[in-house]
Amino acid sequence: MKLFENKFIPFIAAFAFAIAGCSDSKNSTKDSAESKTASGQEAPAKVEMPEVEGTKTIALANGASVTWIQDNEGKKLMPRELFSDASDSLYESLNMPAGLPASVSTFLVKVDGKYILFDAGLGAWGGQMMKRLAALNVNPDSVGLVYLTHFHADHIAGLVKNGDSGKMEKVFKNAAVYAGKVEYDAWMNDIPKNDLQKNIMALYKDCLHLFAFGDSLPHGVLAMDAVGHTPGHTAFQISNLLVIGDLMHGYALQKFHPEISSNYDMDKAKSAESRKRIMQYARENKLLMAGMHLPPPGFAK
């Protein structure tokens, strides 16, 4: 969701190609071979996470847990103008003239005693994720994997921060970062206003792993084609959880009318097709959807 036009001036101007250590992807891949699928799993383990404002933790079928983290401050509403393909009568039938409830969210999965983060949020643009992680007693250095649904600023800016010297630094120093090759290639070569994306990817280059749709990733995470919002937009399945990224910006509207895309979607036709297909997949497989712009608390069935 392109909210900020990539105006990441303090970070870009001070960018330094300093590389920190990362986790061993080979060990992570070994862990994934030991992970189980959603079918025939044991009962969910007891969730042991502190109660923190702007978060919600749910047990998954494989014994892992997922924590929704609201990254935006306060309430968020998606304006009517964002859904120009919706007729006035359809929109008015929702009785939400002020806008559709939404959020900017990230999701933290704890599996096999390790932390996986799905998207990194707003970062310097008012992101609340670091404050919420601290309240959850999760040190960013303990995050071993970051999976990116796509490269819009409100999903990757939280990967970096200004260091004491004013230079860009990693937030997740020990994390391997997984991104779709189609998404990566598009932002590196074809999409304009991409300084932020190029700089962050360069900073994490020694920890960056590119995947293809259909790949099975560490800890049994499946990468799924969800293109349309961006060229390589990705959904991820782990156990009975389906992380849908920006598949929906206005849940109250799109849950019943998946054919309507938001104006943030780069290819509306492909976005609508992906939305219909993935929502049907979630229904058929009884999956819990986790969306980066779903209304609080970020989950939907």
Side-chain angles (χ1 to χ4, degrees), residues 7 90 148 221 279 294:
K7 294 178 181 177
L90 175 59
L148 300 176
V221 174
M279 289 174 68
L294 291 180

Side-chain angles (χ1 to χ4, degrees), residues 208-222:
L208 182 64
H209 304 270
L210 302 180
F211 59 77
F213 296 134
D215 281 357
S216 182
L217 306 176
H219 294 288
V221 174
L222 174 66

Side-chain angles (χ1 to χ4, degrees), residues 155-170:
H155 298 259
I156 66 170
L159 288 170
V160 293
K161 64 180 180 179
N162 273 336
D164 294 338
S165 63
K167 296 180 180 180
M168 181 191 286
E169 293 181 356
K170 291 181 179 180

Side-chain angles (χ1 to χ4, degrees), residues 203-254:
L203 187 63
Y204 279 89
K205 65 181 180 180
D206 286 355
C207 306
L208 182 64
H209 304 270
L210 302 180
F211 59 77
F213 296 134
D215 281 357
S216 182
L217 306 176
H219 294 288
V221 174
L222 174 66
M224 299 175 60
D225 178 343
V227 301
H229 178 60
T230 60
H233 186 245
T234 304
F236 298 101
Q237 182 181 354
I238 176 170
S239 185
N240 60 316
L241 181 73
L242 188 61
V243 180
I244 62 172
D246 282 15
L247 203 67
M248 287 184 275
H249 292 80
Y251 179 68
L253 171 66
Q254 292 174 301

Side-chain angles (χ1 to χ4, degrees), residues 57-227:
T57 300
I58 295 175
L60 299 181
N62 65 348
S65 67
V66 56
T67 300
W68 163 71
I69 300 174
Q70 180 176 312
D71 194 41
N72 64 289
E73 189 171 12
K75 293 183 179 180
K76 183 171 184 60
L77 298 172
M78 296 294 189
R80 190 269 180 272
E81 293 75 21
L82 185 59
F83 307 96
S84 59
D85 294 341
S87 67
D88 289 340
S89 60
L90 175 59
Y91 189 86
E92 290 167 3
S93 71
L94 301 174
N95 195 27
M96 297 179 178
L100 306 185
S103 68
V104 178
S105 301
T106 66
F107 294 88
L108 182 73
V109 169
K110 186 176 183 181
V111 57
D112 300 330
K114 299 179 181 179
Y115 288 111
I116 303 173
L117 185 67
F118 289 89
D119 283 353
L122 293 157
W125 285 300
Q128 303 298 303
M129 179 181 66
M130 296 305 296
K131 178 178 73 174
R132 306 222 195 273
L133 285 177
L136 290 166
N137 299 319
V138 176
N139 189 310
D141 290 350
S142 68
V143 175
L145 290 163
V146 178
Y147 287 113
L148 300 176
T149 63
H150 64 294
F151 282 14
H152 277 159
D154 55 328
H155 298 259
I156 66 170
L159 288 170
V160 293
K161 64 180 180 179
N162 273 336
D164 294 338
S165 63
K167 296 180 180 180
M168 181 191 286
E169 293 181 356
K170 291 181 179 180
V171 169
F172 302 102
K173 298 177 182 178
N174 299 316
V177 175
Y178 281 75
K181 188 176 188 307
V182 173
E183 184 77 359
Y184 178 88
D185 289 345
W187 283 96
M188 296 305 105
N189 301 309
D190 303 324
I191 299 175
K193 298 182 180 179
N194 60 0
D195 286 348
L196 172 65
Q197 287 75 14
K198 285 186 173 181
N199 290 343
I200 291 178
M201 290 302 109
L203 187 63
Y204 279 89
K205 65 181 180 180
D206 286 355
C207 306
L208 182 64
H209 304 270
L210 302 180
F211 59 77
F213 296 134
D215 281 357
S216 182
L217 306 176
H219 294 288
V221 174
L222 174 66
M224 299 175 60
D225 178 343
V227 301

Side-chain angles (χ1 to χ4, degrees), residues 23-31 178 209:
S23 61
D24 187 339
S25 64
K26 291 183 180 179
N27 289 340
S28 297
T29 303
K30 180 181 178 182
D31 291 335
Y178 281 75
H209 304 270

